[in-house]
């Protein structure tokens, strides 16, 4: 839901920066790779140490590459299937790194096995939510549903909470509770979104199969009629 509105806004804001990178000879694929590497570094270096504020700052600086690379490709007129594939694939890698960083913290110094399991569930469910849409579309279904918690919501909820939770290191009391709350929200929302997409694919596939059966029956009737003539 958030992705529908926020993406258009930030795309307009980042258009001049994308144009500058093109003038400097930077390719969209390079931006995709650098952005993913930056997100992974922020998540897997800072988060396991409990440095949630600085980790979030680093990740936020690089996460906008997901908008910049596509903007660059459109401006340069070089949008391609390869670029779309690379972007989508590395998005999954970056998302996994963020929740892996949370899981590593709770498995180590954070010392909370339940929250470690919740973070792992967020990681896995996020991948499966993305897969259900991609798989549904690959078999010719529109998967026409706006899920409760999609990628943009997962990132915003988890990163905002992590950044604020990191203020605990600067003396803000009790604010670190925001990260566990956010992880539970993302986990529950991802589960709801997964169910929404599975139900949608089930309905759309049944409708498509029924339409195909009707079309096949009509085709057989037409052939039979032609034979009678």
């Amino acid at each position: 839901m958030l992705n529908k509105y926020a993406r258009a806004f930030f795309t307009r804001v980042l258009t001049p920066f994308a144009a500058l990178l093109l003038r400097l000879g930077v390719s969209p694929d390079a931006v995709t790779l650098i952005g993913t590497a930056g997100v992974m570094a922020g998540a897997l270096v800072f988060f396991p140490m409990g440095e949630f504020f600085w980790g979030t700052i680093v990740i936020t600086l690089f996460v906008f590459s997901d908008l910049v690379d596509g903007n660059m490709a459109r401006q340069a007129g070089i949008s391609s299937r390869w670029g779309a594939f690379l972007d989508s694939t590395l998005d999954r890698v970056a998302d996994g790194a963020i929740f892996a960083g949370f899981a590593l913290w709770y498995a180590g110094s954070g010392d909370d096995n339940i929250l470690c399991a919740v973070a792992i569930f967020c990681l896995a469910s996020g991948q499966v939510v993305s897969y259900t849409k991609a798989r549904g579309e690959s078999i010719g279904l529109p998967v026409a549903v706006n899920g409760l918690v999609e990628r943009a919501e997962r990132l915003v909820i988890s990163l905002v909470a992590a950044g604020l939770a990191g203020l605990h290191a600067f003396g803000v009391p009790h604010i670190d509770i925001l990260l566990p709350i956010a992880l539970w929200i993302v986990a529950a929302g991802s589960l709801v979104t997964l169910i929404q997409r599975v139900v949608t694919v089930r309905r759309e596939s049944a409708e498509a199969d029924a339409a195909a059966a009707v079309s096949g029956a009509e085709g057989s009737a037409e052939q039979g009629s032609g034979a009678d003539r």
Side-chain angles (χ1 to χ4, degrees):
M1 291 185 293
L2 181 62
N3 187 58
K4 178 180 178 181
Y5 302 103
R7 192 175 189 90
F9 170 76
F10 283 110
T11 296
R12 289 196 299 271
V13 171
L14 294 171
T15 293
F17 180 62
L20 173 62
L21 291 177
L22 286 172
R23 288 196 296 271
L24 294 175
V26 180
S27 72
D29 286 353
V31 172
T32 303
L33 292 168
I34 292 170
T36 302
V39 170
M40 292 179 66
L44 297 178
V45 173
F46 290 93
F47 285 175
M49 297 189 299
E51 295 287 347
F52 295 116
F53 178 79
W54 293 114
T56 300
I57 294 297
V58 171
I59 290 170
T60 302
L61 290 175
F62 285 99
V63 80
F64 284 106
S65 65
D66 186 44
L67 299 176
V68 173
D69 54 6
N71 194 318
M72 291 172 65
R74 286 188 294 273
Q75 288 191 47
I78 55 175
S79 297
S80 65
R81 290 182 176 87
W82 162 249
F85 170 81
L86 180 66
D87 186 54
S88 296
T89 300
L90 294 185
D91 281 350
R92 306 289 84 77
V93 173
D95 294 356
I98 290 171
F99 290 103
F102 294 143
L104 288 171
W105 162 251
Y106 286 115
S109 301
D111 193 23
D112 193 318
N113 289 336
I114 293 178
L115 287 175
C116 176
V118 172
I120 292 173
F121 178 82
C122 290
L123 190 163
S125 61
Q127 306 298 316
V128 176
V129 164
S130 297
Y131 174 79
T132 54
K133 185 173 180 65
R135 181 58 177 148
E137 291 175 343
S138 74
I139 58 175
L141 301 175
V143 195
V145 59
N146 289 322
L148 179 64
V149 175
E150 298 182 326
R151 182 173 186 255
E153 287 85 2
R154 290 196 302 272
L155 289 178
V156 169
I157 293 170
S158 58
L159 291 178
V160 168
L164 292 175
L167 295 177
H168 182 73
F170 297 92
V172 180
H174 310 304
I175 199 167
D176 52 324
I177 192 64
L178 290 178
L179 181 55
I181 292 172
L183 289 175
W184 280 107
I185 290 173
V186 170
S190 295
L191 179 59
V192 170
T193 303
L194 177 59
I195 293 171
Q196 287 177 304
R197 288 193 172 177
V198 170
V199 169
T200 298
V201 169
R202 174 69 179 128
R203 173 179 53 78
E204 291 177 349
S205 62
E207 292 172 352
D209 290 343
V214 170
S215 177
E218 291 176 347
S220 297
E222 290 176 0
Q223 289 178 358
S225 176
D228 291 340
R229 289 196 297 269

